Amino acid sequence: MNAPDPVRLGRRTLLGAAGAAAAGLSLTACGGSHGPGQAGAAPATGKGGADGYDGPNVELQYWNGLTGGDGPVMKKLVANFMAANPKIKVTTTSIAWADLFQKLPAAVQSGKAPDICLMHTADIATNGARRVIQPIDDVVKGLNLTAADYADAVWKSAHYKDSQYAIPLDIHPAGLYYNKKVLSQVGADPEKPPATKDEFMAVLDKCKSKGVKGYWVSALSVGGLIAQSMIFQSGGYMINDDGTKTGFGDQPAIDSITFFKGLIDQGYSPQNAAGDGDWVSFSNNKAAFMIVGPWMVTPCKTAKGLDWGCAPIPVFGSDQQTWAGSHCFTLPRQVSNDKNKADASRFFINWMSQHSVGWAEAGMVPARKSVRESADFAKYTEVKQFEKMIDWAHFPPNVPGMSDTDPEWSKAVSLAMTGKKPVDQALRDAAQKGDQILTSNKKKYG
């Protein structure tokens, strides 16, 4: 199976997270807020694609990091766009996310930037501060878009300072997958997934009594969306809103890592599970649960012999919260603006946003409210389980260079989960280093 793109500290393993972190480091190391777009022309203005495109034939370059199973779905959507708009040819280039964020600043600097680039909300502030991407307030104004057209959290995450830099395409929160065959085998209700920590543990107790490791936890992946969802549910954060402090060493983080480490120590999970052990065990009917984002809906559908369901993530803390990410369309800065390309690019973003129901084929929840309310989206019953969590999805703050702290968190989680350091010591050491990085970044970005 081809896994979809790695989201920073959110996808299958911390190898993906480390790559994304490296991408963040490469961006900030190249010149801080006076980045590669400094010499670029002023952003184009206009109606943001609201009036369509009536110029001459034009070719657009579109970059994204969709190198997994979601890549072909995106290419299909692009093909649909070109069929409906034959004047605009779109060449799609898929580059691994970590490599994309190394190549993009250099492309902007050299005048060879793509016309459109897909990125995550976690990347917007850094690329906006470094002038790699341009504000797109004209698109928002031209399309008469407002926060009411989107979930509040994802709309805010597309901003940096006083400008909007992206149009959200989707929302992908963490959720619970449950294996109905395994639940039946251990005497649990296969049609009633757990909604609380106590209910979750009650099923794991049934699994344990039958000799089944009900939920495979890995030191390589637990620090991403899994542990972070519990941190958010307990009132914690990874980085505070003004980017001055990490929450790595705070009690919510300590409690979260302690809980998931305890699942290993108490025999609910095997020792030394691989980073993708949750998927391997789940898909082979060896485990009851998997906690991951909606991008695993499609692999679950195609897995032979798998009887499964999905549901909102259980409340492990005290409040309904979940880790979430979003793919967003951005416009990289251009050394010289070609009006036809600028107009066509804006029209492309508008069209793709309006027709984003097809993106649900990749398991993603459309960000645009009107699309989610359409009859076409109603057929995606599994993806709609993730839609239930939109109002309690937790996005990262709009802080430039925040990914620079990722390696410290990843290393601390690994040390804690493997017992090489006490949990509280490992996380507090990481917090101290992370806070120093944020202080340095405050000076770097202004």
Side-chain angles (χ1 to χ4, degrees):
M1 180 202 62
N2 289 326
D5 58 287
V7 174
R8 179 166 300 117
L9 286 177
R11 291 274 171 130
R12 310 293 312 161
T13 70
L14 290 185
L15 293 176
L25 286 167
S26 72
L27 285 169
T28 55
C30 301
S33 58
H34 300 292
Q38 185 176 13
T45 60
K47 294 187 177 181
D51 293 339
Y53 177 75
D54 59 1
N57 290 350
V58 67
E59 181 173 353
L60 303 179
Q61 298 295 323
Y62 167 38
W63 286 11
N64 62 54
L66 307 175
T67 57
D70 40 11
V73 179
M74 176 58 71
K75 288 181 179 179
K76 181 180 178 180
L77 293 180
V78 173
N80 291 341
F81 168 82
M82 290 190 290
N85 302 280
K87 283 189 172 183
I88 305 174
K89 179 182 178 181
V90 181
T91 299
T92 302
T93 302
S94 296
I95 308 168
W97 289 109
D99 294 334
L100 187 152
F101 290 117
Q102 290 177 344
K103 293 176 180 293
L104 184 60
V108 171
Q109 182 71 58
S110 65
K112 298 179 180 179
D115 302 286
I116 305 131
C117 186
L118 196 72
M119 61 180 63
H120 301 107
T121 51
D123 305 307
I124 291 170
T126 300
N127 286 285
R130 295 208 56 242
R131 297 174 58 83
V132 173
I133 56 177
Q134 57 182 292
I136 55 174
D137 299 284
D138 66 301
V139 178
V140 177
K141 182 178 179 181
L143 300 179
N144 294 316
L145 293 176
T146 68
D149 296 305
Y150 295 85
D152 186 58
V154 73
W155 183 255
K156 290 180 178 177
S157 70
H159 289 71
Y160 172 61
K161 291 189 174 180
D162 297 325
S163 294
Q164 184 156 351
Y165 281 83
I167 298 295
L169 173 64
D170 63 48
I171 301 173
H172 41 264
L176 178 74
Y177 293 75
Y178 54 97
N179 186 309
K180 296 182 180 182
K181 182 177 180 179
V182 173
L183 292 178
S184 296
Q185 287 175 345
V186 303
D189 189 341
E191 302 300 332
K192 188 180 179 182
T196 67
K197 179 181 176 182
D198 288 344
E199 293 176 359
F200 183 80
M201 292 306 302
V203 176
L204 291 191
D205 282 333
K206 289 180 182 291
C207 290
K208 188 176 180 181
S209 71
K210 300 291 186 179
V212 174
K213 304 293 187 184
Y215 175 52
W216 289 35
V217 179
S218 173
L220 293 174
S221 58
V222 71
L225 57 82
I226 302 167
Q228 290 182 39
S229 291
M230 183 173 177
I231 291 170
F232 302 148
Q233 291 176 358
S234 302
Y237 54 83
M238 297 301 290
I239 295 176
N240 66 355
D241 288 344
D242 63 4
T244 58
K245 181 182 181 300
T246 68
F248 301 171
D250 294 351
Q251 200 60 46
I254 293 171
D255 290 345
S256 179
I257 298 302
T258 299
F259 170 72
F260 288 107
K261 183 177 186 299
L263 296 182
I264 299 173
D265 295 342
Q266 297 163 36
Y268 297 107
S269 168
Q271 299 279 344
N272 303 317
D276 62 351
D278 56 350
W279 164 247
V280 173
S281 59
F282 185 86
S283 60
N284 286 287
N285 298 313
K286 301 295 184 182
F289 300 124
M290 175 173 69
I291 297 174
V292 71
W295 52 85
M296 294 306 292
V297 165
T298 300
C300 283
K301 282 185 173 182
T302 57
K304 293 182 179 180
L306 183 62
D307 187 11
W308 65 285
C310 54
I313 191 170
V315 179
F316 294 108
S318 57
D319 192 19
Q320 288 183 319
Q321 292 283 321
T322 184
W323 174 96
S326 170
H327 294 100
C328 299
F329 287 115
T330 67
L331 297 174
R333 285 187 178 269
Q334 307 295 328
V335 170
S336 60
N337 278 306
D338 180 317
K339 185 179 185 303
N340 292 321
K341 285 191 173 185
D343 290 345
S345 296
R346 284 157 170 76
F347 175 61
F348 172 83
I349 291 175
N350 179 32
W351 192 97
M352 293 290 281
S353 175
Q354 290 177 331
H355 295 80
S356 57
V357 68
W359 189 223
E361 291 288 344
M364 304 298 173
V365 181
R368 202 156 176 165
K369 184 179 179 181
S370 59
V371 177
R372 296 198 309 274
E373 293 175 344
S374 69
D376 289 338
F377 181 57
K379 68 181 181 181
Y380 295 99
T381 54
E382 294 89 0
V383 180
K384 285 186 73 66
Q385 290 294 321
F386 290 86
E387 183 192 18
K388 295 177 180 179
M389 294 179 282
I390 281 180
D391 289 336
W392 31 295
H394 189 107
F395 289 89
N398 307 87
V399 176
M402 64 181 176
S403 65
D404 295 0
T405 65
D406 290 352
E408 300 301 334
W409 168 253
S410 302
K411 181 171 65 175
V413 170
S414 179
L415 291 171
M417 292 294 295
T418 56
K420 295 178 180 178
K421 262 190 180 183
V423 174
D424 57 349
Q425 180 185 342
L427 298 188
R428 285 170 179 156
D429 289 348
Q432 183 179 15
K433 294 177 181 177
D435 291 351
Q436 291 172 352
I437 292 170
L438 292 178
T439 297
S440 175
N441 278 353
K442 272 287 185 182
K443 296 178 181 178
K444 182 185 298 184
Y445 290 104

